[in-house]
Amino acid sequence: MLVTARLPTPDRPGGRPDLGDLPIDLGEVTARANVSLHTLFVDNSVLGGFSAEERQRSNGANLARDTDLAERWTDLFTGAAGGTLSKVLTGSGEQAFDRLTRESSAYYLLGIDVAAQDRTGRPLRVTVRVRQKGATVRYRPWVLVPAITHDGR
C-alpha cells in the first residue's frame, strides 16, 4: 500500500523535473518483484479550491489540470505495476481502504504455459482478458520466466 499526495510532473516536453520513463520503469520492476501495489492518492486541493480564499488567490486556475498533473506520476507507476490507484479527495480515505479490503479478499491464480524460446530470464508482457462484460480484471502486466540453465532446468 502506497499512500501519497501531490507529486507534480510536467505535461510539456523538456519540463522540469523530467522523469522520462522512470514511473513506468519502476512499475515494471515492482511487477517483476511480485509485489501487489495499491495506491491511495490523497488530494484535498480540489475541495480547498472552492473556498473563498483560494478562489481569490488562484485567479481561476484550472484545478482539474493541476490534479491530473499531481497524480500523473503515481498513476503511471501504479498502472505499470498492475496495481490500483484510488483517489481520496475528501475525508480520511476509509471508503478506499474498504474497497481495497473487499477487492483483495479473494483472487484467482493464473498459470501460463511458456515455450522454451521464451525462457530467456527477461520479463515478458502478458495480457489477461475475460468474456464477462463489465468485469474488472487487474493483473501484473509482466511475468519473469527464469532462463533455462545448462543442465536443462
Side-chain angles (χ1 to χ4, degrees):
M1 168 76 60
L2 170 66
V3 179
T4 184
R6 301 181 72 75
L7 294 169
T9 57
D11 61 349
R12 295 183 181 102
R16 298 286 182 232
D18 184 7
L19 300 175
D21 291 333
L22 181 62
I24 294 169
D25 293 343
L26 286 175
E28 291 172 2
V29 168
T30 303
R32 289 191 305 257
N34 204 22
V35 172
S36 295
L37 179 67
H38 302 282
T39 305
L40 292 183
F41 174 68
V42 180
D43 183 15
N44 61 4
S45 65
V46 173
L47 186 61
F50 292 103
S51 69
E53 298 85 19
E54 286 299 317
R55 277 187 286 164
Q56 195 74 21
R57 209 176 303 146
S58 68
N59 201 14
N62 186 341
L63 291 174
R65 180 177 178 268
D66 290 347
T67 298
D68 287 345
L69 287 175
E71 76 176 65
R72 182 176 181 206
W73 190 96
T74 307
D75 189 31
L76 289 171
F77 169 55
T78 304
T84 59
L85 174 72
S86 300
K87 296 179 189 180
V88 178
L89 302 177
T90 60
S92 64
E94 186 174 332
Q95 288 178 325
F97 280 109
D98 288 346
R99 177 181 169 201
L100 177 59
T101 301
R102 280 191 317 276
E103 289 185 5
S104 62
S105 64
Y107 62 92
Y108 290 96
L109 183 59
L110 178 67
I112 60 172
D113 187 20
V114 181
Q117 66 266 21
D118 291 330
R119 293 189 172 277
T120 61
R122 288 193 231 136
L124 299 173
R125 192 170 218 10
V126 297
T127 302
V128 178
R129 294 186 192 106
V130 296
R131 292 182 183 168
Q132 183 178 346
K133 292 185 188 251
T136 300
V137 179
R138 292 192 177 89
Y139 61 95
R140 292 185 187 102
W142 299 93
V143 61
L144 186 60
V145 179
I148 296 176
T149 60
H150 295 295
D151 60 5
R153 288 187 272 159

